Amino acid sequence: MDSITGYRYYSIHQYEVLGTIRELKEIGLSLEEIRSFLDERNLEKSLSIMEKHQNKLQQKIQQLIRIESSLKQKTMYLKRIATEGATPRPSVRYIEERHFLTTHMEVSNDIELNYAAIKMEDLLERHVPFVAGSFLGLLFDAKKQMIENAIPSSTLIAQTAFLNDYPASQLIRVPAGYFVCLRHFGQVWDRKGSIGELKAYIEENQLSIDGQSIQMVEVDVSVTDRLDESLFEIQVPVLFQ
């Protein structure tokens, strides 16, 4: 130490050690790991530690990319909802191919739905936080409901773009095509009125139903705690006759 200025002198070796400590902290090593790293360093030991934390950083980067992608998609989606509002009448919309994650659990009431949602959340949280995650929906037979005038059982689904994260047995592919869509406010199972409107529109325009329908959750408790803002959209795949 300089007796006049009070400044402490550091050797080149000490500067190198301090720089190394800063770098190790930046890549995420704990104080205990840094102590271990600095103790009896050698090329093999340093390389092993570097590779281990490089892999950890790569995993974290991939996780952050998934979160950012999901948040971006959800933000754009909510902006569109806020701008468009509820669709007063059914309309035909072309929707690109989608993939959904499912546990294949059929639900027909709130208790079963809550249990299925917990199972789905467990799957999604392995890769991305639930709130930032894939969009939830129900897969159901709208044609059957139109004929029988009763609410059929549904399957909980969650849209995902990360197909490699899940086994093929848990993924459902919905091909691109035209869907008659109708937004409505209300509870999950409160879709009889909307199904009636969709049926009338499909018959009036001489369309035919082509596969399972989807009831997407557009605004739910993850976004608002106001029941009057809860919003769903029913999407019925159709063919032009």
Side-chain angles (χ1 to χ4, degrees):
M1 178 181 291
D2 191 308
S3 58
I4 298 176
T5 64
Y7 292 135
R8 185 182 299 275
Y9 292 121
Y10 292 96
S11 68
I12 292 176
H13 174 72
Q14 287 173 312
Y15 272 117
E16 289 177 346
V17 171
L18 289 172
T20 300
I21 291 174
R22 283 196 299 269
E23 290 176 358
L24 294 175
K25 288 177 66 177
E26 286 179 2
I27 67 174
L29 268 70
S30 67
L31 291 178
E32 187 60 36
E33 288 173 321
I34 292 174
R35 290 193 192 98
S36 174
F37 180 87
L38 295 175
D39 184 29
E40 298 182 2
R41 295 188 304 285
N42 59 62
L43 180 60
E44 183 179 355
K45 180 180 178 181
S46 296
L47 179 59
S48 174
I49 292 175
M50 293 290 187
E51 287 180 334
K52 174 185 175 182
H53 282 274
Q54 183 183 16
N55 290 335
K56 284 186 176 179
L57 283 173
Q58 288 176 341
Q59 292 173 6
K60 187 173 183 179
I61 289 170
Q62 291 303 312
Q63 174 75 347
L64 289 173
I65 289 173
R66 283 193 287 263
I67 292 173
E68 194 278 335
S69 174
S70 295
L71 278 175
K72 180 180 179 180
Q73 186 181 19
K74 191 162 189 174
T75 300
M76 293 174 61
Y77 188 74
L78 291 175
K79 283 182 178 179
R80 180 169 65 84
I81 299 302
T83 301
E84 296 177 358
T87 304
R89 285 275 298 160
S91 61
V92 176
R93 189 167 81 247
Y94 183 83
I95 302 178
E96 298 289 347
E97 178 181 273
R98 293 169 289 175
H99 290 85
F100 293 90
L101 176 67
T102 179
T103 61
H104 298 289
M105 295 176 61
E106 290 194 353
V107 297
S108 57
N109 55 57
D110 286 339
I111 294 176
E112 293 175 349
L113 179 59
N114 290 336
Y115 184 69
I118 292 172
K119 291 290 186 181
M120 183 69 75
E121 185 174 3
D122 289 342
L123 287 173
L124 291 172
E125 280 193 338
R126 298 177 190 175
H127 307 279
V128 64
F130 197 51
V131 171
S134 308
F135 303 128
L136 290 176
L138 292 173
L139 193 67
F140 72 102
D141 190 339
K143 188 173 184 178
K144 182 178 179 180
Q145 183 169 350
M146 290 177 186
I147 295 172
E148 299 180 359
N149 196 30
I151 299 175
S153 59
S154 308
T155 303
L156 184 66
I157 55 177
Q159 189 173 349
T160 180
F162 309 113
L163 307 184
N164 294 329
D165 289 351
Y166 307 101
S169 61
Q170 290 183 316
L171 292 170
I172 295 175
R173 172 182 168 272
V174 175
Y178 289 96
F179 293 77
V180 177
C181 304
L182 177 65
R183 288 198 184 121
H184 71 102
F185 294 97
Q187 301 302 308
V188 175
W189 312 109
D190 182 25
R191 62 183 180 220
K192 281 189 176 182
S194 294
I195 289 294
E197 287 187 58
L198 289 166
K199 180 183 179 183
Y201 182 92
I202 289 170
E203 292 176 348
E204 178 183 342
N205 291 274
Q206 298 182 330
L207 304 172
S208 59
I209 298 176
D210 183 37
Q212 292 281 86
S213 299
I214 298 173
Q215 180 178 347
M216 292 299 299
V217 179
E218 296 207 324
V219 178
D220 65 357
V221 293
S222 70
V223 177
T224 180
D225 59 2
R226 292 178 51 180
L227 293 178
D228 63 318
E229 288 186 339
S230 296
L231 183 64
F232 299 87
E233 181 178 69
I234 298 176
Q235 303 167 354
V236 182
V238 294
L239 293 176
F240 294 89
Q241 296 179 1

